[in-house]
Amino acid sequence: MPSADPAPSPAHARPDPVALADQCVMCGLCLPHCPSYRVLRSEADSPRGRIALARGLAQGALPATADTLSHLDRCLACGTCERVCPSQVRYLDLLQITREGHPVAGGTTRWLWPWLTRPRRLRAAVGLARALAAARWLPHLAAWLLPRTAPLARAAAEFPPPPAPQRLPAFTPAAHAPARGRIGLLLGCVASAYDRDTLAAAIRLLAALGYDVLIPPDQGCCGALARHAGEASRAAAQAAPTRAALEAEGIDVVLVAASGCHDTVRDLTLAGSGLAVQELCSFLAADAGLDDLEFRPLARRAALHVACSQASIAGSATAMRRLLARIPQLDVVALGPQPACCGAAGSYFLQHPDIAAPLRAEKLDQLAALDPDVLLTANIGCRLYLGNGLRQRGSTLEVRHPVALLAQQLAATAGAAPLQS
């Protein structure tokens, strides 16, 4: 089995926010790479400015006013500044600690949390929306009844069409015995309703590689939305059922298909559990068993979007490219490196559409110039947000997870049954 990153112990010392802030030498090299600064051109909305604000709050030199906290709330937490920082400032740790001390992020979308963080309730709602064809009329109805800036109107405008239902078995045996291990798949919240094709593809590839694959049915939320908003206790409470469900199955490693959930599952949901956590693309790319599988050629052009959670947190961008290189004749072209974030960032696009929309528009302009046959991204939030933007432009371009495309091209041998809908 490929090596997996163990979950860190929850007992490690909490960093001092002032010490973290003092690592920054205020050089400003991060500013051109910051997505929110790219849009707002405000020093207070740059990494350097937010570090100064976090230091002031930690030292008590700044009052925690709504205006001060709004600059921290407008950070997408993409981590791009960390990747380009010559001083290796741990910006994301500083941001997380500061938000936990002053939790304001997500305030305008907390009313959605009871739906977004309860997978069964969300899947039921999506099923009802599918039956009522709500994606056709809900945005128009909301626009007619509500001001354009109302949170509900924004949510309705970004409501994605429900996908076709797809069954996911709780257990799939390895294609050949003896099994090489027991893999648990994180079902996720939004992913449990909108990324089921990716999970089905993961099952197919993992079984062909010789693993037993489990999707424990009692999983809930991993706690990502609440954690990133600074609500640590709420995040821990949301994550507890998912932890219990995964711990009960005798799993060797838990794989996360949605890269945006990876750090929360590793650092909160399963921290100290003894269960290893790894992002799906990284796990598959490291498996030497892929050399024994055959993939059919695909003479198409695929545009590749690297989610900021992949580039800055999960570290799986290279693994994703290695997987796609296994498909003969596939022409993979990357979207431009800037802006670093598409604007989705969990529920950020609903909280701050004035920042998210220009970022998405720039990405979609890059995409149009590439003229691809499919758009690939490994995070469900990016998939839905970019897909909505494409539909709003009248495009029918399909948006998929790279693993779904890889599984589609897996030759139907004794170890690889066709994908089932």
Side-chain angles (χ1 to χ4, degrees), residues 278-286 290 304 310 314-326 402-403 406:
Q278 195 155 342
E279 195 268 344
L280 176 62
C281 291
S282 293
F283 185 89
L284 290 173
L290 280 176
L304 183 62
Q310 268 195 306
S316 54
T318 300
M320 179 172 61
R321 293 185 179 97
R322 287 169 55 196
L323 290 177
L324 293 172
R326 291 185 174 273
V403 167
L406 186 68

Side-chain angles (χ1 to χ4, degrees), residues 197 373-376 383 390 395-400 408:
D197 59 327
D373 300 296
V374 63
L375 171 61
L376 302 176
R383 178 182 180 180
L390 285 167
S395 172
T396 59
L397 185 70
E398 190 175 19
V399 187
R400 304 181 71 184
Q408 171 190 291

Side-chain angles (χ1 to χ4, degrees), residues 6-7 10 16 25 45 83 95 117 142 147 158 162 193 208 269 377 379 389 395-396 415:
D16 172 37
V25 298
D45 291 297
R83 288 191 284 120
L95 179 68
T117 62
E158 294 291 344
T269 315
T377 183
N379 189 47
S395 172
T396 59

Side-chain angles (χ1 to χ4, degrees), residues 158-229:
E158 294 291 344
F159 181 73
Q166 188 163 14
R167 187 181 69 87
L168 296 174
F171 174 77
T172 303
H176 48 80
R180 298 171 60 198
R182 289 167 65 85
I183 302 295
L185 286 181
L186 181 77
L187 189 57
C189 296
V190 174
S192 74
Y194 282 96
D195 217 19
R196 296 177 79 84
D197 59 327
T198 298
L199 295 170
I203 291 171
R204 184 181 189 223
L205 287 167
L206 290 165
L209 287 168
Y211 297 108
D212 289 340
V213 187
L214 297 91
I215 302 184
D218 294 327
Q219 296 181 56
C221 179
C222 70
L225 278 179
R227 177 174 176 260
H228 293 161

